[in-house]
Amino acid sequence: MKYFHNEIEAKWQQYWAENQTFAAKNDSDKPKYYVLDMFPYPSGAGLHVGHPLGYIASDIVARYKRHQGFNVLHPQGYDSFGLPAEQYAIQTGQHPEKTTKENIARYRQQLDKIGFSFDWSREVRTSNPDYYRHTQWIFIQLFNSYYCKDTDQARPIEELIEVFQQEGNTRIHAVCDENISTFNGEEWNAFSSEEQQKILLQYRLTYLAETEVNWCPALGTVLANDEIINGVSERGGHPVIRKKMTQWSMRISAYAERLLQGLETIDWTESLKESQRNWIGKSVGASVTFNLKNHEEVIEVFTTRPDTIFGVTFMTLAPEHELVAKITTPEQKANVEAYIEATAKRSERERMADVKTISGVFTGAYAEHPFTKEPIPVWIGDYVLAGYGTGAVMAVPCGDERDYAFAKHFDLPIKNIVEGVDISEAAYDDKNNTILANSEFLNGLNYKEATKKIIEELEKIGAGMAKVNYRLRDAVFSRQRYWGEPFPVYYVNGMPQMIPAAHLPVVLPEVEKYLPTEDGQPPLGNASVWAWDTKTNQVVSNDLMDNVNVFPLELNTMPGWAGSSWYWMRYMDAHNTNEFASQDALKYWENVDLYIGGSEHATGHLLYSRFWNKFLKDRGFAPTEEPFKKLINQGMILGMSAFVYRSEDSKTLYSKGLIKDKNVHPIHVDLAVINDVTNELDIEAFKNHPLYSDYKNAEFILEDGKYIVGREVEKMSKSKYNVVNPDDICEQYGADTLRLYEMFLGPLEQAKPWNTAGITGVSGFLKKLWRLYFDDIGLIVTNDEPTGEMYKSLHKTIKKVTEDIENFSFNTSVSQFMICVNELAQAKCHHRAILEPLAILVSPYAPHIAEELWSALGHEGSIATVKFPIFEAKYLVESEKEYPVSFNGKMRFTIKLPLDLNAAQIEEIVMADERTQAQLQGRTPNKVIIVPGKIINLVG
């Protein structure tokens, strides 16, 4: 019988679907194991061979854990809201829901072909109303919560209101906006409802505020920092500017310390943890207040080096700082405004990364030093960011390189406050070896002593205090898009009101076009039925807005990360219509045991999801503090691009080996027109390809009658024409071959190039495996007792594969399978006692062939939950030793002897061997050296 992978794979994929083989239960007595892949976005391009890498790894673990007796939850779904679908809708006029459904159908078809053991009964899609009703509900909970510093957790806003009613806010310790006015209980009760709502917005965990955002005019929307690369939008490469807008924000900063501390409790790579630590950016220092001359306002700065306060010679504000417009003198107004306009075109990341460019403008205003009372010039500079700290720095050029460069560039004073240090060429920033000078009462003190002293003095004069600061800023939560979760919000006199939870979801309305309105409103401004009737609790026509009970709905939608910040919980109880998941389901599954995905989500999705999980835990809706116990970032599978080389005038194309010393330009070539093994270009196919019609009449300069293309490893991308479709691999070689080959390419975490030429070896391995069970006629498995060597081959493999899966070292398992099958083939092993456990061993990696082999061996049902083979060390204990037999130090032959023989017994056997007699030719050796288990040497 031949191995027909297409028939076998189709058969078992149908079996799994019909029998719900991988459906997990919420009430099992088995121990649970939850393995999850990062939420895929279903793009129109479909999957290329790089996408399944992490899925294959997680599937191997999921299948292995089932074999070990675990109740495994291994779900899949789609992060189906987002900008790409909306942009496509704008271009084609098709509703994003239609294209998203088509893309999902394509993804599902591709995923099924690869044979993943997903529990598809729990599939979720963030764009389905029955999913995003719960996202809207979580938003309402955030709105109705504040962060209590006393309990260090989120609490219901009603508790805060009760305190306000009784005693005001003078004793409240909560995370809130800065500069909140104090009031007592009597004053609170006298406030109007609107005034009370405005105050509460300053405490809520999601709130409306005017903030600096990344605005992309071409896309008509706000972008998160992680959606911007090198100052342009990741999607489309459009310019991004800084702009002030009223937006919904999430008070993630309240959780900064807990997000830091939680990293110590989870099994993530150190590099990933460090990325989050840097993004959170904890700094310990002091808040210092500088009065402004001729102004009532003050400048507040946060500094990690309050000990250097006597070295301040100027101050720098972020160009977006709210004080800039107030304090700029008429003489400086034009320069300042021009600088602000130029800065708005650069993203924050670009400004942070650019350490070479020195730019700034003097505002004309002066601050006052809190101790010396000396005037300090106030500048603006784009190296200061409005969102970090207070958006202002006290510049100490003698102790900070950036301040030093700024001072040198603009010829500002540099005051030396470090004893015995030359700062004529550079700043001195070694705080641990600093003794202060020219610093009045701090003279002679080191960094620690001076820091303690200066904070005491600042507190005495009311000019500062000790403070811990975080780089992590509150997350902007509004997007000016159509294809996203609608906010469950309507407005009464400009104040946000939550739609009652019983009337969720608020479903996206129909719109004629997906662009912003002519007056700049978000796309939902185009909807004609988008108002809320508080009497009927439903969405009604905008024409009814004149009615006293009808109010405008929020026009922004939620960002893409809204639905992906809690989706793992929905999988636990995907069909619950009353709540996002029952408490029983949440308590059973708790959190994700293994999470696999790309490193690009290190500071976006992973921070937001940890924040939401902690919030839901605080409010009693989630059982654990952290969502993901163990996380692995899979590396990227790179594409092997192909190039032809054109001359300057595009009339000649040179083969790769002929381009030396020629002025040529490489052009990416579609892999469809080359032989991927020989790298030979199909010239006729190239000429007839629509992309290369310009070269129909070009001259091709060949090597030995062939045009050989150049090859280079790059990121797999449609634009580079180096994408390999997994469907083609599954069709030609089989899904099991694809799965094994992707694992065989190298360690999971590392990037590695795809080379289709290498897949034939893996394909050959599966055929060789098949031949252990079948010959041309049929099954050849016997019930004979295997030899010791056969058991040894099997148990070496059990040991290796078990260790490899536990350590996520999947590539070396594939190597071991190949070694084992080769050894068994050489031993002519067709023994059931070996081949049954071997089929189970292979099953997590190559499930289709394993199922077929298991069935052929006479078993009913699926192999999926059969107990995994257990390694027995006794089969690896050596009972014999193959000794090299040497004569005068030169090895002449080998002899296999039992290991329990002593030296005398070994000598007797060796001397009687005819090969020894042939070597000695009647002589008697002068000396026989024998070390049992090691050497045999006859001398003389």
Side-chain angles (χ1 to χ4, degrees), residues 639-646 653-657 659 664-671 673-674 679-681 686 692 707-714 719-722:
M640 183 69 80
S641 298
F643 299 88
V644 295
Y645 302 90
R646 69 170 177 82
L653 294 170
Y654 294 94
S655 185
K656 166 69 176 172
I659 64 174
V664 296
H665 299 274
I667 303 165
H668 280 96
V669 178
D670 191 334
L671 298 184
V673 299
I674 70 164
N679 296 329
E680 184 180 352
L681 179 72
F686 176 81
Y692 312 116
Y707 189 104
I708 305 300
V709 297
R711 303 305 296 263
E712 188 176 318
V713 174
E714 299 182 290
S719 65
K720 302 181 191 300
Y721 310 111
N722 62 0

XYZ file of all heavy atoms in Angstrom, residues 639-646 653-657 659 664-671 673-674 679-681 686 692 707-714 719-722:
341
model
N 11.466 34.698 3.953
C 11.319 34.264 2.575
C 12.651 34.276 1.846
O 13.539 35.063 2.165
N 12.778 33.389 0.904
C 13.969 33.368 0.053
C 13.604 34.092 -1.239
O 13.049 33.509 -2.169
C 14.406 31.935 -0.216
C 15.672 31.812 -1.037
S 17.155 32.352 -0.177
C 17.512 30.911 0.829
N 13.878 35.401 -1.289
C 13.517 36.206 -2.454
C 14.381 35.836 -3.649
O 15.505 35.344 -3.495
C 13.691 37.696 -2.142
O 12.844 38.087 -1.099
N 13.845 36.100 -4.818
C 14.585 35.873 -6.065
C 14.707 37.190 -6.819
O 13.807 38.039 -6.753
C 13.864 34.834 -6.925
N 15.836 37.353 -7.537
C 16.098 38.597 -8.261
C 16.604 38.320 -9.667
O 17.379 37.382 -9.888
C 17.173 39.428 -7.535
C 16.808 39.838 -6.145
C 17.091 39.001 -5.067
C 16.183 41.050 -5.886
C 16.771 39.368 -3.777
C 15.856 41.420 -4.599
C 16.154 40.586 -3.540
N 16.155 39.172 -10.596
C 16.847 39.283 -11.878
C 17.565 40.622 -11.859
O 17.261 41.500 -11.044
C 15.873 39.206 -13.078
C 15.223 37.847 -13.150
C 14.819 40.306 -13.019
N 18.515 40.791 -12.770
C 19.372 41.982 -12.743
C 19.296 42.697 -14.082
O 19.728 42.172 -15.109
C 20.813 41.561 -12.418
C 20.906 40.834 -11.098
C 20.781 39.444 -11.035
C 21.054 41.534 -9.905
C 20.826 38.777 -9.823
C 21.105 40.875 -8.686
C 20.993 39.498 -8.650
O 21.032 38.843 -7.446
N 18.703 43.888 -14.065
C 18.519 44.643 -15.306
C 19.604 45.698 -15.476
O 20.130 46.228 -14.494
C 17.147 45.301 -15.354
C 16.947 46.441 -14.370
C 15.640 47.180 -14.660
N 15.386 48.245 -13.697
C 15.919 49.461 -13.759
N 16.780 49.765 -14.719
N 15.625 50.375 -12.853
N 19.038 41.818 -19.364
C 18.940 41.165 -18.056
C 20.075 40.153 -17.943
O 20.202 39.258 -18.788
C 17.593 40.459 -17.895
C 16.358 41.380 -17.843
C 15.088 40.574 -17.923
C 16.366 42.209 -16.578
N 20.901 40.328 -16.905
C 22.091 39.486 -16.723
C 21.820 38.391 -15.706
O 21.247 38.635 -14.632
C 23.271 40.331 -16.231
C 23.759 41.344 -17.231
C 23.286 42.645 -17.217
C 24.711 41.000 -18.193
C 23.728 43.593 -18.135
C 25.163 41.932 -19.116
C 24.669 43.233 -19.083
O 25.115 44.154 -19.991
N 22.285 37.189 -16.017
C 22.224 36.092 -15.061
C 23.125 36.410 -13.867
O 24.094 37.165 -13.991
C 22.672 34.792 -15.739
O 22.512 33.700 -14.870
N 22.793 35.839 -12.728
C 23.460 36.178 -11.459
C 24.988 36.134 -11.543
O 25.681 37.028 -11.053
C 22.965 35.217 -10.368
C 23.767 35.198 -9.084
C 23.637 36.488 -8.287
C 24.388 36.365 -6.970
N 24.447 37.635 -6.250
N 25.546 35.110 -12.172
C 26.999 34.954 -12.197
C 27.715 35.910 -13.116
O 28.952 35.910 -13.174
N 27.054 39.429 -13.238
C 26.793 40.838 -12.898
C 28.002 41.556 -12.337
O 27.965 42.767 -12.122
C 25.622 40.956 -11.890
C 25.978 40.287 -10.563
C 24.343 40.384 -12.473
C 24.931 40.492 -9.475
N 24.060 47.209 -12.576
C 22.762 46.555 -12.703
C 21.868 46.899 -11.517
O 22.337 47.330 -10.465
C 22.915 45.021 -12.797
C 23.660 44.621 -14.054
C 23.598 44.463 -11.554
N 20.567 46.672 -11.724
C 19.582 46.930 -10.681
C 18.803 45.655 -10.407
O 18.189 45.098 -11.332
C 18.622 48.047 -11.112
C 19.296 49.349 -11.362
N 19.545 50.268 -10.373
C 19.816 49.871 -12.507
C 20.171 51.306 -10.894
N 20.354 51.090 -12.188
N 18.832 45.150 -9.179
C 18.074 43.922 -8.874
C 16.573 44.198 -8.838
O 16.127 45.240 -8.365
C 18.600 43.527 -7.493
C 19.120 44.782 -6.895
C 19.587 45.651 -8.024
N 15.790 43.258 -9.359
C 14.331 43.354 -9.353
C 13.776 42.088 -8.724
O 14.155 40.975 -9.111
C 13.769 43.471 -10.788
C 14.384 44.670 -11.504
C 12.251 43.589 -10.783
C 14.144 44.625 -12.996
N 12.867 42.241 -7.754
C 12.220 41.078 -7.157
C 11.434 40.314 -8.216
O 10.762 40.917 -9.062
C 11.252 41.493 -6.046
C 11.924 41.794 -4.751
N 12.268 43.066 -4.368
C 12.322 40.973 -3.745
C 12.851 43.023 -3.179
N 12.894 41.763 -2.780
N 11.533 38.993 -8.160
C 10.848 38.139 -9.129
C 9.874 37.224 -8.404
O 10.196 36.657 -7.352
C 11.873 37.279 -9.915
C 11.142 36.365 -10.889
C 12.833 38.156 -10.673
N 8.695 37.083 -8.965
C 7.691 36.168 -8.439
C 8.249 34.738 -8.468
O 8.760 34.276 -9.493
C 6.430 36.256 -9.300
C 5.244 35.539 -8.676
O 5.459 34.598 -7.897
O 4.105 35.934 -8.972
N 8.157 34.038 -7.323
C 8.687 32.676 -7.246
C 8.000 31.727 -8.220
O 8.534 30.664 -8.538
C 8.533 32.150 -5.811
C 9.282 32.900 -4.709
C 9.095 32.192 -3.378
C 10.759 33.035 -5.030
N 7.785 31.978 -11.317
C 8.455 31.892 -12.624
C 9.883 31.361 -12.502
O 10.676 31.522 -13.414
C 8.439 33.250 -13.366
C 7.017 33.692 -13.625
C 9.212 34.318 -12.591
N 10.221 30.774 -11.347
C 11.557 30.187 -11.204
C 11.439 28.752 -10.708
O 10.412 28.365 -10.145
C 12.449 31.004 -10.233
C 11.961 30.848 -8.792
C 12.553 32.454 -10.633
C 12.982 31.274 -7.767
N 17.075 27.316 -9.078
C 17.166 28.774 -9.197
C 17.206 29.244 -10.649
O 17.706 30.334 -10.958
C 18.393 29.330 -8.455
C 18.300 29.092 -6.965
O 17.208 29.066 -6.408
N 19.437 28.880 -6.319
N 16.678 28.422 -11.554
C 16.650 28.802 -12.967
C 15.360 29.548 -13.279
O 14.268 29.135 -12.875
C 16.764 27.560 -13.848
C 16.847 27.879 -15.327
C 16.970 26.630 -16.186
O 17.135 25.526 -15.613
O 16.881 26.752 -17.417
N 15.493 30.661 -14.018
C 14.340 31.464 -14.419
C 13.663 30.830 -15.633
O 14.333 30.442 -16.594
C 14.795 32.887 -14.765
C 13.712 33.865 -15.238
C 12.814 34.267 -14.075
C 14.348 35.108 -15.878
N 8.382 34.402 -17.387
C 8.733 35.737 -16.907
C 8.232 36.805 -17.883
O 7.612 37.796 -17.481
C 10.253 35.834 -16.742
C 10.755 37.197 -16.347
C 10.710 37.615 -15.030
C 11.268 38.068 -17.303
C 11.178 38.863 -14.655
C 11.738 39.337 -16.948
C 11.699 39.721 -15.624
N 5.960 41.834 -15.459
C 7.240 42.055 -16.146
C 7.065 42.284 -17.649
O 7.952 41.975 -18.437
C 8.161 40.844 -15.892
C 8.209 40.456 -14.433
C 7.729 39.223 -14.001
C 8.692 41.349 -13.474
C 7.736 38.877 -12.661
C 8.705 41.006 -12.131
C 8.218 39.772 -11.724
O 8.228 39.438 -10.396
N 19.332 31.094 -17.300
C 19.322 32.351 -16.544
C 19.143 31.988 -15.074
O 18.083 31.481 -14.665
C 18.192 33.293 -16.989
C 18.337 34.669 -16.361
C 18.808 35.738 -17.105
C 18.049 34.895 -15.011
C 18.978 36.994 -16.536
C 18.227 36.126 -14.423
C 18.685 37.182 -15.194
O 18.877 38.427 -14.620
N 20.181 32.210 -14.284
C 20.155 31.881 -12.853
C 19.833 33.153 -12.063
O 20.522 34.170 -12.204
C 21.496 31.288 -12.387
C 21.872 30.072 -13.246
C 21.428 30.918 -10.904
C 20.863 28.938 -13.215
N 18.796 33.088 -11.264
C 18.396 34.256 -10.476
C 19.247 34.369 -9.215
O 19.834 33.383 -8.756
C 16.899 34.182 -10.071
C 16.002 34.191 -11.289
C 16.625 32.951 -9.200
N 19.325 35.563 -8.668
C 19.949 35.752 -7.358
C 18.963 35.410 -6.264
O 17.750 35.482 -6.459
N 19.466 35.018 -5.114
C 18.591 34.693 -3.975
C 19.050 35.467 -2.750
O 20.249 35.686 -2.550
C 18.607 33.187 -3.662
C 18.228 32.252 -4.784
C 16.865 32.544 -5.398
N 15.738 32.372 -4.504
C 14.988 31.274 -4.434
N 15.285 30.221 -5.180
N 13.950 31.216 -3.629
N 18.083 35.858 -1.930
C 18.393 36.605 -0.710
C 17.298 36.355 0.318
O 16.116 36.289 -0.029
C 18.480 38.103 -1.029
C 18.986 38.956 0.121
C 19.156 40.411 -0.283
O 19.661 40.673 -1.394
O 18.781 41.281 0.519
N 17.706 36.201 1.564
C 16.743 35.974 2.641
C 16.178 37.322 3.116
O 16.928 38.226 3.477
C 17.410 35.232 3.822
C 16.445 35.123 4.995
C 17.870 33.850 3.384
N 14.858 37.443 3.101
C 14.175 38.671 3.540
C 12.898 38.287 4.272
O 12.496 37.123 4.272
C 13.794 39.542 2.342
C 14.938 40.031 1.485
C 14.432 40.918 0.366
O 13.785 40.398 -0.561
O 14.684 42.131 0.428
N 4.871 42.034 -1.229
C 5.567 43.056 -2.023
C 6.913 42.556 -2.543
O 7.457 43.104 -3.497
C 5.775 44.326 -1.186
O 6.640 44.060 -0.093
N 7.456 41.526 -1.890
C 8.746 40.971 -2.328
C 8.551 39.706 -3.176
O 9.529 39.078 -3.592
C 9.625 40.660 -1.110
C 9.897 41.882 -0.222
C 10.791 41.523 0.953
C 10.848 42.649 1.976
N 11.374 43.890 1.435
N 7.293 39.327 -3.392
C 6.949 38.173 -4.230
C 7.637 36.885 -3.755
O 7.943 35.999 -4.541
C 7.303 38.442 -5.702
C 6.767 39.751 -6.202
C 7.621 40.801 -6.515
C 5.396 39.957 -6.333
C 7.125 42.017 -6.947
C 4.896 41.172 -6.766
C 5.761 42.198 -7.069
O 5.256 43.411 -7.496
N 7.906 36.808 -2.442
C 8.600 35.627 -1.912
C 7.710 34.796 -0.997
O 8.184 33.984 -0.216
C 9.877 36.040 -1.181
C 9.588 36.928 0.033
O 8.438 37.236 0.331
N 10.632 37.336 0.729
